């Protein structure tokens, strides 16, 4: 018998290895501590719309696409949308070098301090790319944002559509 962590992983087992559907169960391998990650109505009290991302700053995570999307939104609006990026990775210095007033790149924090960041957002985005050798495999930050009651959007990559299933968020 086989355990897959997502419907997409199950499909790969079936397509690539010919494993019958009846021999595969889906079991999510990550959980969210709801004592830490929960809605906090007092956290987001300002009038600015704030979009956020939490994770690795690497090209396949779609961070540059997210910045470009927010830039395009801000060209059309009189009040700019704010973008907050929390994390680290290969793109970090280039992100820090950008001079957009609506963009803040935040230093990584211990996991228990991620919840206040997520609770402060109006929208959480997970814009992960699909590449020949990578799709979003667990979407842990997305699950935590959902637990915090934050509106979520995510790319059609790996497990993201499964997590945003049943109107939990929007998939692009």
């Amino acid at each position: 018998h086989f355990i897959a962590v997502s419907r997409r992983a199950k499909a790969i087992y079936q397509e690539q290895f010919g494993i019958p559907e009846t021999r595969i169960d889906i079991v999510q391998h990550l959980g969210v501590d709801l004592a830490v990650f929960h809605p906090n109505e007092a956290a987001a009290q300002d009038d600015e719309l704030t979009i956020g991302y939490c994770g690795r700053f690497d090209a396949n995570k779609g961070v540059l696409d997210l910045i470009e999307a927010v830039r395009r939104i801000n060209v059309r609006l009189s009040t700019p949308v704010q973008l907050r990026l929390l994390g680290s990775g290969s793109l970090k210095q280039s992100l820090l070098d950008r001079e957009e007033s609506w963009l803040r790149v935040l230093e990584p924090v211990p996991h228990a301090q991620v919840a206040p960041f997520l609770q402060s957002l109006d929208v959480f985005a997970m814009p992960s790319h699909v590449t020949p050798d990578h799709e979003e495999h667990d979407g842990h930050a997305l699950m935590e944002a959902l637990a915090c009651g934050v509106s979520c959007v995510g790319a059609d990559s790996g497990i993201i559509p499964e997590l945003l299933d049943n109107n939990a968020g929007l998939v692009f």
Side-chain angles (χ1 to χ4, degrees):
H1 205 81
F2 295 83
I3 296 174
V5 298
S6 67
R7 291 190 303 246
R8 180 68 188 124
K10 180 178 180 176
I12 290 170
Y13 289 171
Q14 291 174 276
E15 295 165 11
Q16 298 293 318
F17 305 112
I19 299 168
E21 179 179 4
T22 57
R23 295 192 57 210
I24 307 170
D25 284 322
I26 299 172
V27 178
Q28 179 54 258
H29 68 294
L30 294 172
V32 175
D33 184 348
L34 298 179
V36 176
F37 294 91
H38 54 80
N40 181 352
E41 302 303 325
Q45 292 291 329
D46 60 30
D47 291 333
E48 293 182 326
L49 179 66
T50 303
I51 299 172
Y53 166 85
C54 177
R56 273 194 339 269
F57 301 155
D58 293 329
N60 67 341
K61 291 296 191 173
V63 177
L64 297 177
D65 297 327
L66 179 58
I67 291 171
E68 177 60 16
V70 173
R71 186 196 68 74
R72 289 181 184 193
I73 290 169
N74 284 334
V75 165
R76 294 186 172 100
L77 298 177
S78 57
T79 303
V81 170
Q82 303 299 307
L83 178 60
R84 304 290 180 254
L85 306 175
L86 176 66
S88 192
S90 62
L91 297 175
K92 181 155 188 171
Q93 190 56 53
S94 66
L95 297 176
L96 289 169
D97 291 343
R98 298 178 79 99
E99 297 184 8
E100 288 89 347
S101 62
W102 44 264
L103 173 65
R104 282 196 25 218
V105 179
L106 306 169
E107 290 296 322
V109 297
H111 187 247
Q113 294 175 15
V114 172
F117 168 76
L118 294 173
Q119 292 163 341
S120 73
L121 302 176
D122 296 300
V123 178
F124 177 82
M126 185 167 271
S128 301
H129 290 179
V130 173
T131 65
D133 64 348
H134 181 267
E135 292 189 33
E136 189 62 43
H137 62 280
D138 62 35
H140 199 213
L142 180 58
M143 288 190 293
E144 292 170 340
L146 288 165
C148 287
V150 177
S151 298
C152 294
V153 297
D156 187 4
S157 174
I159 198 168
I160 294 171
E162 293 178 45
L163 296 175
L164 297 180
D165 210 0
N166 299 318
N167 298 316
L170 299 175
V171 177
F172 58 88

